[in-house]
Amino acid sequence: MTGNPMHLGLILMAIERSPEVDGLIRSFSAYGFELRLVPDGETALLFSQELNPDLIFLDVSLPGLSGFDTCLRLKELDTTKDTPVIFVTTPSDRASTVNGFSVGAVDYVTRPFQLEEVIARITTHLKIRNLHVLLEEIISNLQEEVAERQRTEEALQESMQLVQQANDRMKNDLAAAARVQQALLPEILPVLSNASFAWTYKPCSELGGDSLNVFQLDPDHVGLYVLDVSGHGVSASLLSVTLSRVLIPRRDPSCLFIKANRAPEADTLVSPADIASRLNRMFPMSEDGRQYFTLIYGILDTRNGMFRYTCAGHPPPLYLAPDQPAIPCEIGNVPIGLFEDIHYEEGTIQLQPGGRLFLYSDGVLEARNASKEFFGEARLQETLEATQSSPLQVSVDSIMNAALDWTGTHHAQDDLSILAFEWTSRKDELVDNPNKEVILAHQFPAHAKELGPMRAMTRTALNNHSWRSDIVEDIVLAIDEACQNIIRHAYHGECDDPILLRIKLNNHALVVVLEDQAPTVSPDCMNPRALEDIRPGGLGCHFIRQVMDTVSIEPSSTGQGNILRMSKNVYSPPTFQ
Amino acid sequence: MEHHIREEQGYHIASLTGEIDLETSPQARKILLDTVDHCEKILIDMASVTYLDSSGIATLVEAFQRAKKNGKHMAFIYLSPAVLRVLSLARLDKVFAIHADIESAIHAEP
């Protein structure tokens, strides 16, 4: 270290000046230390605050303020509380050495000074002090870092709360939008004696791009459609909802389906191909949205079972004739919105009595399992053939369940829609065909006490056939509830006027006809109320709808009274052992 | 409509008999509401009920709701498959407290 020109530290020494001390000053300088000498404790305190020395020597026997008191004061001051203090003692002064440590000194040296020892102690304590300072800096930096992280975490927490709130708002909005979309699905299906309808729908997310509906266009025609907007989510559902609103039949000039005339009986129906062309003009694919949709729309003539339809980029309908395999009825047309001035082709399907037609979206065919294999047309056909003898709604639900089971997760990648109808036969054949087997004909006055005997007679008549007892009990309940409705709502209470009950069997269709002589009632009286609304009448209609496949009410042709017709497929497939 | 009320293990057990329909449901209503008004723990024994229609359902619902409103316990026991079927058509099989027998009804009481 000798001759080191560097300044290694400033040392303050409070000690009485002497030749020995002067020698020390010179030697210190040679080692690179600057030494400031002060004569007493008071001056040491003063200088230490001004000079901020790196190390302080205090003679234990200073004049005035003692070395120990000076040390105590130094340790109380912020500037010097961490500055190492070394006491200068004599070898015999053991007590001062101990006392020095107790007031905060880090070391001591004895006189006469041994230069190398003093330099070694200075170097050691400066090193310790520097390490101490460095450690404090590191701790301070770490504390700052921890504080910064806490601030970041708090900010992150705040951001997450904002995201959560935004997410909740979006969820609420989506749920509200989904309710709007649900409200556009068919609530009440057409009630006809010769055709029945069923549907099911499952969007792949809160909002779907599919839509479907079935509605009566006039007394003899029913319109049905399924459409599928390209893509998913909000944009697809917005177009889907718009289309559902446009595709509502009403008697005004904006109606797509009916060309209204002054006299309603002169109204004409717009052909399915023209509907597709008009939609194609109304909803061209926009440059930014790039949305188009596929559509199947058809009109069922309920008098003869003729279905006239067009299929624009949509999967072909599947026709299932009784005891026959299902047949896809393909027509090749492009989706709606892709090209201008397209002419859409039409097809017709002549349904046999008991024939069923299934319209569905491609989500059914394209439901994929874990191996990315499609549910496909073959499985769809297999499912609807297997449920041919089940009620139509059961068949439709079975297809939906089979497709969802196929995915393994019950979560399809696309919306699933299925709409189906069954054409039973011509109305007059269904009810008035004299060849039908008459099971029961019974007339009774509209009194509550007559219902018990009526049920007993009905039960006996039905039990002559080999139907399951629970099916018989269901039918008895439906007939009983229908009779109650006649007493309550047609006759407005018990009276002696008659109710005529006829039960007939036409192949597998059990047909129940109830006639009264009351004033004409509205067909709405047969609509069930919500199940929560437990009042007589509404619950009875709910039972009737649950049990029977078709229900309709119409005024009697004699101009007096009403005819309530109900039918149920009572076919049970043979069982094999 | 015949009925019979007995007391067993702290419960009043009302047994109804026959068909509960448009004709008999006013009588069944009176029996059930009287029982609810005068007893705390009520079991309705349906073993001999051979038929139930929507007016009968409305009667059961009214009694059940009155019991619930007045903090009384009411459960149905010994239901035939036919009666259970009608309750399930009305989706009430999940609403009413229905038990196979007296023991399981007592055991299940909260």
Side-chain angles (χ1 to χ4, degrees):
Chain A
M1 275 235 190
T2 312
N4 189 339
M6 287 175 68
H7 176 76
L8 296 180
L10 172 64
I11 293 162
L12 182 69
M13 184 177 267
I15 196 165
E16 194 182 348
R17 191 144 197 167
S18 70
E20 187 192 18
V21 172
D22 287 343
L24 203 64
I25 293 170
R26 285 193 295 278
S27 305
F28 270 28
S29 172
Y31 278 93
F33 296 111
E34 185 187 350
L35 186 67
R36 289 294 182 89
L37 211 59
V38 290
D40 53 46
E42 295 289 353
T43 319
L45 283 171
L46 192 66
F47 271 55
S48 68
Q49 301 310 303
E50 280 181 16
L51 299 174
N52 193 16
D54 297 302
L55 192 141
I56 300 169
F57 278 97
L58 295 174
D59 194 338
V60 293
S61 45
L62 287 171
L65 196 64
S66 77
F68 302 122
D69 289 338
T70 308
C71 185
L72 280 172
R73 298 271 295 277
L74 283 169
K75 292 296 159 191
E76 286 167 359
L77 297 167
D78 278 348
T79 323
T80 50
K81 67 179 169 32
D82 295 323
T83 310
V85 173
I86 296 176
F87 274 112
V88 180
T89 66
T90 58
S92 57
D93 193 1
R94 185 79 186 159
S96 296
T97 309
V98 176
N99 204 10
F101 285 121
S102 70
V103 294
V106 295
D107 209 344
Y108 66 93
V109 292
T110 53
R111 297 180 75 168
F113 295 119
Q114 297 297 318
L115 181 63
E116 285 74 16
E117 182 197 346
V118 173
I119 293 297
R121 287 183 192 272
I122 291 171
T123 310
T124 301
H125 287 294
L126 284 181
K127 201 179 277 180
I128 290 171
R129 188 196 177 223
N130 289 340
L131 284 173
H132 184 72
V133 169
L134 185 65
L135 191 63
E136 282 198 334
E137 251 176 52
I138 290 170
I139 289 171
S140 164
N141 287 342
L142 280 174
Q143 282 173 339
E144 180 55 33
E145 205 171 304
V146 167
E148 180 62 33
R149 280 194 184 184
Q150 273 176 348
R151 283 194 293 274
T152 310
E153 267 179 29
E154 280 167 13
L156 191 65
Q157 200 70 33
E158 217 168 280
S159 305
M160 278 171 70
Q161 271 180 1
L162 289 173
V163 169
Q164 185 64 44
Q165 283 166 3
N167 202 20
D168 289 347
R169 270 200 307 275
M170 275 170 61
K171 269 188 182 168
N172 288 340
D173 290 349
L174 278 175
R179 283 197 295 276
V180 170
Q181 201 167 27
Q182 289 282 333
L184 290 167
L185 291 167
E187 193 180 356
I188 297 171
L189 296 172
V191 176
L192 298 166
S193 57
N194 51 359
S196 57
F197 305 87
W199 62 274
T200 182
Y201 169 70
K202 185 173 172 58
C204 68
S205 59
E206 285 91 343
L207 297 175
D210 282 10
S211 178
L212 59 87
N213 206 351
V214 49
F215 37 79
Q216 202 144 6
L217 294 165
D218 65 25
D220 296 322
H221 295 91
V222 174
L224 306 97
Y225 74 79
V226 175
L227 65 85
D228 178 2
V229 176
S230 60
H232 310 295
V234 175
S235 58
S237 72
L238 281 175
L239 179 53
S240 166
V241 166
T242 307
L243 288 165
S244 303
R245 294 249 181 230
V246 168
L247 295 172
I248 289 174
R250 50 187 170 259
R251 276 203 86 251
D252 68 43
S254 70
C255 176
L256 280 183
F257 301 106
I258 301 166
K259 281 182 199 151
N261 281 297
R262 274 192 191 158
E265 58 274 15
D267 286 354
T268 51
L269 299 180
V270 179
S271 75
D274 282 350
I275 299 273
S277 297
R278 288 177 69 176
L279 289 171
N280 193 50
R281 286 194 296 276
M282 289 167 73
F283 296 96
M285 186 172 78
S286 62
E287 284 299 318
D288 48 348
R290 305 199 61 74
Q291 278 186 321
Y292 60 91
F293 61 96
T294 67
L295 170 80
I296 178 162
Y297 170 66
I299 301 171
L300 171 67
D301 187 334
T302 59
R303 296 167 300 187
N304 55 20
M306 181 69 82
F307 185 65
R308 182 179 171 187
Y309 71 108
T310 192
C311 193
H314 205 84
L318 282 169
Y319 174 51
L320 187 65
D323 304 320
Q324 298 289 319
I327 307 165
C329 305
E330 191 92 48
I331 309 177
N333 284 316
V334 294
I336 291 178
L338 285 185
F339 304 105
E340 286 177 19
D341 301 327
I342 291 288
H343 170 71
Y344 287 91
E345 298 288 336
E346 267 187 12
T348 53
I349 300 166
Q350 174 60 63
L351 279 86
Q352 292 178 37
R356 293 176 170 185
L357 198 72
F358 293 80
L359 322 183
Y360 52 93
S361 60
D362 61 2
V364 177
L365 300 177
E366 292 170 7
R368 279 177 295 178
N369 65 7
S371 316
K372 306 282 179 203
E373 196 183 344
F374 288 133
F375 181 65
E377 203 168 82
R379 285 182 194 84
L380 170 60
Q381 292 184 20
E382 204 175 283
T383 311
L384 62 89
E385 284 164 13
T387 52
Q388 190 164 22
S389 58
S390 306
L392 191 62
Q393 187 66 53
V394 172
S395 183
V396 164
D397 291 340
S398 300
I399 297 168
M400 176 65 83
N401 289 335
L404 289 174
D405 286 347
W406 179 253
T407 64
T409 57
H410 269 241
H411 188 268
Q413 300 82 359
D414 196 359
D415 307 330
L416 307 183
S417 305
I418 306 162
L419 173 60
F421 65 88
E422 177 175 335
W423 183 68
T424 326
S425 63
R426 285 199 296 275
K427 196 187 282 185
D428 53 346
E429 279 181 0
L430 182 78
V431 178
D432 298 321
N433 186 339
N435 296 329
K436 276 188 298 200
E437 181 187 348
V438 176
I439 294 179
L440 178 68
H442 172 54
Q443 183 168 318
F444 55 96
H447 282 288
K449 67 176 184 191
E450 297 290 338
L451 296 180
M454 178 279 294
R455 287 196 301 268
M457 289 173 73
T458 304
R459 204 173 276 125
T460 306
L462 296 178
N463 278 334
N464 286 333
H465 297 76
S466 54
W467 299 320
R468 284 194 342 237
S469 62
D470 55 335
I471 293 178
V472 168
E473 280 307 310
D474 278 359
I475 296 169
V476 168
L477 176 70
I479 295 172
D480 186 29
E481 296 293 350
C483 292
Q484 289 187 37
N485 273 350
I486 291 172
I487 296 172
R488 288 173 188 279
H489 302 298
Y491 284 127
H492 296 289
E494 293 182 78
C495 63
D496 294 332
D497 290 335
I499 296 174
L500 173 60
L501 164 66
R502 283 180 292 148
I503 305 176
K504 301 176 183 181
L505 187 60
N506 182 18
N507 294 325
H508 299 308
L510 184 83
V511 180
V512 178
V513 183
L514 281 160
E515 292 182 49
D516 61 56
Q517 293 180 3
T520 304
V521 298
S522 158
D524 289 344
C525 73
M526 286 309 296
N527 289 334
R529 283 196 288 268
L531 267 186
E532 294 72 26
D533 186 6
I534 303 268
R535 278 182 289 162
L539 184 59
C541 290
H542 169 76
F543 286 164
I544 295 168
R545 297 269 181 206
Q546 289 249 298
V547 169
M548 306 304 284
D549 296 334
T550 68
V551 184
S552 68
I553 187 162
E554 60 193 64
S556 169
S557 55
T558 62
Q560 172 72 21
N562 304 281
I563 302 176
L564 175 68
R565 299 176 205 273
M566 307 186 286
S567 74
K568 182 174 178 66
N569 185 342
V570 285
Y571 173 73
S572 302
T575 51
F576 299 96
Q577 293 194 339
Chain B
M1 154 157 289
E2 287 181 26
H3 79 284
H4 171 72
I5 296 178
R6 67 186 192 277
E7 212 174 329
E8 203 173 303
Q9 300 181 57
Y11 283 76
H12 285 90
I13 302 169
S15 308
L16 302 177
T17 303
E19 298 186 325
I20 308 180
D21 66 357
L22 189 64
E23 186 188 10
T24 60
S25 58
Q27 206 183 336
R29 178 177 182 271
K30 188 175 181 318
I31 297 165
L32 290 177
L33 293 183
D34 276 354
T35 310
V36 169
D37 288 343
H38 295 105
C39 307
E40 289 300 316
K41 293 177 166 185
I42 306 140
L43 299 180
I44 311 298
D45 180 350
M46 304 281 282
S48 303
V49 173
T50 52
Y51 181 78
L52 184 69
D53 71 355
S54 61
S55 64
I57 291 269
T59 302
L60 299 187
V61 168
E62 189 183 358
F64 190 76
Q65 283 176 340
R66 186 182 288 192
K68 208 171 166 187
K69 190 180 161 196
N70 295 333
K72 298 185 175 183
H73 176 76
M74 182 173 182
F76 298 88
I77 52 174
Y78 301 120
L79 279 78
S80 69
V83 169
L84 206 50
R85 162 73 178 159
V86 181
L87 286 180
S88 76
L89 281 175
R91 317 259 165 86
L92 286 169
D93 50 337
K94 302 280 184 288
V95 179
F96 285 171
I98 295 171
H99 302 286
D101 49 35
I102 297 172
E103 284 68 33
S104 46
I106 292 172
H107 185 71
E109 192 199 346

